[in-house]
Amino acid sequence: MKSLIQYFIFVFLVIGLYGFAFANYSNTGEEPAGKKAFVDAKCNNCHGISSEDIVSKSKKKDNPDLSGIGSTHKADFIKKYLLKTEKLNDKKHPSNWKGEDKALEDIAKWLESLKKK
Ligand code: HEC
């Protein structure tokens, strides 16, 4: 009888550890679609987002870091700005959007979610 109890404790321990390891795995593996699309679209060639550990590949100082950008711009504006139908400070965005609508939608929504801390 005692060994049966020990057996069950062992089994529950193993299941528990598995669950823990799996939960941790899925947490680190989950990236917002917009973050992935941002990097895929090479926005990080110019823009860093220090709050999200994204480092700009450009050394030019006039490429703004987009940390907290969601406190300044809404997703809808970001979309139009990148499609160059909307201007910022009377200037159009320097790069041309050539990707899919869905990816731009994801990026714009994700950027809007980045609020100033
Ligand atoms: C060729 C370099 C370059 C690339 C590539 C680029 N940007 Fe920009 N972006 C800039 C520059 C420079 C500005 C600032 C323009 C200004 O102030 O008139 C800017 C401004 C912005 C702004 C407004 C920032 C603010 O402070 O108001 C957003 C949002 C933005 N970019 C998003 C993106 C996204 C999303 C991508 C990828 C699809 C991207 N950019 C790709 C150079 C770039």
Side-chain angles (χ1 to χ4, degrees):
M1 187 60 189
K2 199 177 165 203
S3 68
L4 195 68
I5 291 169
Q6 278 173 340
Y7 173 76
F8 271 113
I9 289 174
F10 175 73
V11 167
F12 277 117
L13 213 72
V14 169
I15 292 172
L17 280 175
Y18 252 104
F20 183 70
F22 183 74
N24 261 3
Y25 173 76
S26 63
N27 269 347
T28 51
E30 225 175 75
E31 247 186 18
K35 184 173 184 178
K36 190 179 175 300
F38 183 88
V39 176
D40 285 350
K42 301 195 165 65
C43 307
N44 60 328
N45 275 356
C46 296
H47 297 286
I49 309 182
S50 57
S51 65
E52 297 291 317
D53 292 327
I54 292 177
V55 181
S56 166
K57 294 190 175 149
S58 160
K59 295 197 168 59
K60 275 167 98 187
K61 295 263 186 309
D62 49 348
N63 296 327
D65 184 288
L66 300 179
S67 305
I69 190 75
S71 300
T72 340
H73 301 305
K74 292 249 175 272
D76 196 48
F77 172 83
I78 295 172
K79 247 174 76 178
K80 287 182 183 151
Y81 180 49
L82 288 166
L83 292 170
K84 298 195 176 199
T85 57
E86 189 83 72
K87 291 177 184 171
L88 184 67
N89 306 323
D90 242 17
K91 279 186 295 180
K92 289 182 177 172
H93 187 258
S95 81
N96 257 326
W97 177 257
K98 296 192 193 78
E100 289 178 14
D101 290 354
K102 169 78 169 68
L104 183 57
E105 185 82 28
D106 287 345
I107 292 173
K109 273 194 197 141
W110 176 66
L111 288 177
E112 187 186 81
S113 78
L114 305 179
K115 305 290 185 196
K116 286 207 173 79
K117 299 220 167 81

